[in-house]
Amino acid sequence: MDKFVITGGTRVNGEVVISGAKNAALPLLAGMILAETPITLTNVPTLKDVKTLIDLIKGMGITIDKKGDTVTCDTSTINNYYAPYELVKTMRASILVLAPLLARFGQAEVSLPGGCAIGSRPVDQHLKALEAMGAIISVENGYVKAKTPEGGRLKGCNFTFDMVTVGGTENTIMAAVLAQGTTRLENCAREPEVVDLANMLVKMGAKIDGIGTAYMTIEGVEKLNGCEYSVVPDRIETGSYLALAMMTGGDVTARNTNAHIMQSVLSKMTEMGADITTGDDWIRVKMDKRPTAVDIRTLPHPAFPTDMQAQLMTVCAIADGTSTIIENIFENRYMHVPELNRLGANISVDGHTAVVKGVEKLKAAPVMATDLRASMSLVMAAVAADGETTIERIYHIDRGYENVEEKLRGLGVKIERVKG
Ligand code: UD1
């Protein structure tokens, strides 16, 4: 397994070009299955998770290819509706192929997902919503088997999600766009990536009202066509590089991004003392003092995102004062805490709450990445620490950060990948 060796003590400076969002690209790729004519997606990041989903779709006989940041797809060659465990187990978002297959072809067999070890992460809401639309679903030998009654279309329904779920909302929208009649959804996720999916579906011919709100009304249509669509910028990648500037008293400008979709993160950074300026497609963070401690609660969008929790906790680790962090989305998302403590942080966890007592300086140590965003928090800590830090199990970071070493080096970080 590859590892990173990072020599700390650099003040990061410069510009970084942000990629398309992983969490938008995945539902958009799944959404391509709904198109009856060829469809093209641009600004698609080159990431392990993206490759996994493309391989999964290819396995169904669909013609799909990625060249540079462009994915083209022609579904006319599809010959099966099956998503095997071997691929699905590596990435939870694979469950997003369930609704498009079912809505368009009347059948699907998808393995139950694996993914990051950040909690139990069931898919009950996805299945409940599809059942409310008339799907006949059984779970056998770890596979979800779903079909429509007599191979016909799903039916519009009224459905309220028990909790705000990003993937659950995305799967349900993809089912409803081809269902017979009207679907009214309540308590929908409002994440920018859900909005991106809905916008692409509208471009394909779907009829959706209430995009970006908790209440969506979808009028089913008989078929959807291809289109050309560009993936929204990655707000989590953006936030990670800006947080790195805050760790090191640096000055970083993120380009090809969008400040409007990450206000909660930018507000927290401002509260911590960052000097932030923004333009149409860029954000600059300057930090010339030690960050100030803050309190953070993760909640669904537009509140503070769980995917930025580990990175801002790392900034809190060197802040002046004591910060309190409450993780409300996932029950097991503090696995980076023992690793940060190995690097000299002073963090204690009690249930959903982490108390972070800021220290003046972190110190290098061997550590291990535990999940995707946690791996970036360890990179940030290592860049700020005195000495040479080795980070093992960095395959996690390759799932979600495009060209991460190149981008970090561009900002002045001393980083080497040691092949394992
Ligand atoms: C997506 C993001 C992930 C982010 C998360 C929350 C992608 C590919 N991944 O994950 O990076 O951390 O949103 O913003 O977009 N839940 C249920 N039953 C369900 C579905 C979810 O109990 O059927 C629970 C989950 O266990 C979790 C919470 O709801 O506690 C939120 O999960 P969800 O929003 O569905 O996350 P994902 O879509 O998996």
Side-chain angles (χ1 to χ4, degrees):
M1 269 183 266
D2 293 4
K3 53 188 173 189
F4 279 153
V5 179
I6 295 176
T7 309
T10 325
R11 201 173 155 266
V12 297
N13 266 311
E15 295 195 350
V16 58
V17 178
I18 299 304
S19 303
K22 168 184 89 77
N23 285 357
L26 298 175
L28 291 169
L29 287 167
M32 287 172 125
I33 296 173
L34 292 164
E36 293 207 4
T37 53
I39 177 162
T40 302
L41 199 54
T42 58
N43 202 30
V44 181
T46 301
L47 296 170
K48 213 158 133 201
D49 277 7
V50 166
K51 184 177 181 315
T52 302
L53 191 51
I54 289 176
D55 288 346
L56 193 72
I57 295 172
K58 223 177 241 173
M60 297 166 193
I62 291 174
T63 310
I64 181 164
D65 278 307
K66 181 168 183 302
K67 286 204 179 71
D69 74 347
T70 302
V71 175
T72 48
C73 173
D74 177 356
T75 57
S76 63
T77 52
I78 193 164
N79 57 31
N80 73 84
Y81 315 99
Y82 176 66
Y85 174 67
E86 288 65 39
L87 286 173
V88 175
K89 72 176 179 195
T90 63
M91 189 184 66
R92 175 181 162 83
S94 312
I95 193 74
L96 293 171
V97 301
L98 178 63
L101 288 174
L102 184 62
R104 185 156 168 226
F105 302 102
Q107 54 178 306
E109 190 174 336
V110 180
S111 168
L112 283 167
C116 275
I118 55 174
S120 61
R121 304 181 80 176
V123 291
D124 57 304
Q125 298 299 304
H126 303 232
L127 305 188
K128 262 176 90 174
L130 293 175
E131 278 175 336
M133 280 187 237
I136 301 155
I137 296 181
S138 60
V139 179
E140 290 166 37
N141 308 321
Y143 278 80
V144 178
K145 293 187 178 175
K147 57 182 183 181
T148 52
E150 283 122 42
R153 286 167 73 187
L154 292 168
K155 299 223 168 11
C157 71
N158 294 342
F159 186 80
T160 304
F161 293 98
D162 291 337
M163 81 278 294
V164 178
T165 154
V166 173
T169 304
E170 291 165 344
N171 242 336
T172 308
I173 297 172
M174 289 191 280
V177 287
L178 284 186
Q180 217 163 23
T182 307
T183 301
R184 290 180 193 84
L185 301 175
E186 292 198 27
N187 202 21
C188 299
R190 291 174 283 166
E191 269 65 7
E193 295 75 22
V194 177
V195 171
D196 214 32
L197 172 65
N199 285 339
M200 181 178 88
L201 293 170
V202 167
K203 216 170 170 191
M204 291 164 71
K207 293 187 180 154
I208 310 177
D209 268 350
I211 294 175
T213 76
Y215 307 92
M216 296 175 93
T217 306
I218 300 164
E219 196 73 52
V221 296
E222 285 202 8
K223 64 174 201 145
L224 294 170
N225 289 313
C227 67
E228 192 172 323
Y229 194 80
S230 175
V231 180
V232 71
D234 197 316
R235 64 196 164 105
I236 307 301
E237 189 197 21
T238 306
S240 301
Y241 288 111
L242 298 179
L244 183 63
M246 296 178 69
M247 280 305 283
T248 63
D251 180 352
V252 168
T253 302
R255 299 239 170 242
N256 279 9
T257 189
N258 181 350
H260 300 295
I261 58 174
M262 51 184 297
Q263 284 305 327
S264 61
V265 171
L266 298 181
S267 299
K268 243 345 130 185
M269 290 177 164
T270 304
E271 206 181 320
M272 296 182 88
D275 173 6
I276 303 184
T277 42
T278 62
D280 278 351
D281 64 350
W282 58 268
I283 307 172
R284 179 178 184 181
V285 165
K286 280 195 280 180
M287 193 83 195
D288 52 15
K289 53 182 181 274
R290 191 173 170 199
T292 318
V294 281
D295 294 332
I296 296 173
R297 276 165 192 268
T298 66
L299 283 168
H301 192 80
F304 191 90
T306 177
D307 286 355
M308 278 300 297
Q309 180 253 105
Q311 299 90 316
L312 274 217
M313 176 187 278
T314 309
V315 183
C316 292
I318 55 148
D320 187 9
T322 299
S323 305
T324 305
I325 297 178
I326 302 177
E327 170 59 55
N328 289 306
I329 308 292
F330 294 113
E331 76 263 29
N332 189 20
R333 207 170 194 180
Y334 283 138
M335 287 178 303
H336 45 284
V337 168
E339 303 301 311
L340 289 173
N341 284 344
R342 286 174 60 79
L343 292 162
N346 182 351
I347 307 169
S348 55
V349 172
D350 185 5
H352 286 243
T353 306
V355 176
V356 188
K357 291 187 179 146
V359 298
E360 290 219 8
K361 200 76 198 146
L362 298 173
K363 291 187 198 75
V367 291
M368 202 177 284
T370 51
D371 69 63
L372 169 51
R373 304 304 168 185
S375 51
M376 186 46 118
S377 75
L378 297 180
V379 168
M380 290 169 51
V383 174
D386 277 338
E388 194 177 273
T389 293
T390 308
I391 308 177
E392 305 222 26
R393 298 200 179 168
I394 55 160
Y395 57 85
H396 289 292
I397 211 165
D398 295 329
R399 288 187 44 212
Y401 289 89
E402 188 177 44
N403 295 335
V404 65
E405 295 125 271
E406 200 182 297
K407 291 188 186 186
L408 287 166
R409 278 198 206 107
L411 296 172
V413 172
K414 293 183 189 127
I415 180 167
E416 292 304 325
R417 181 184 288 251
V418 180
K419 294 271 176 198

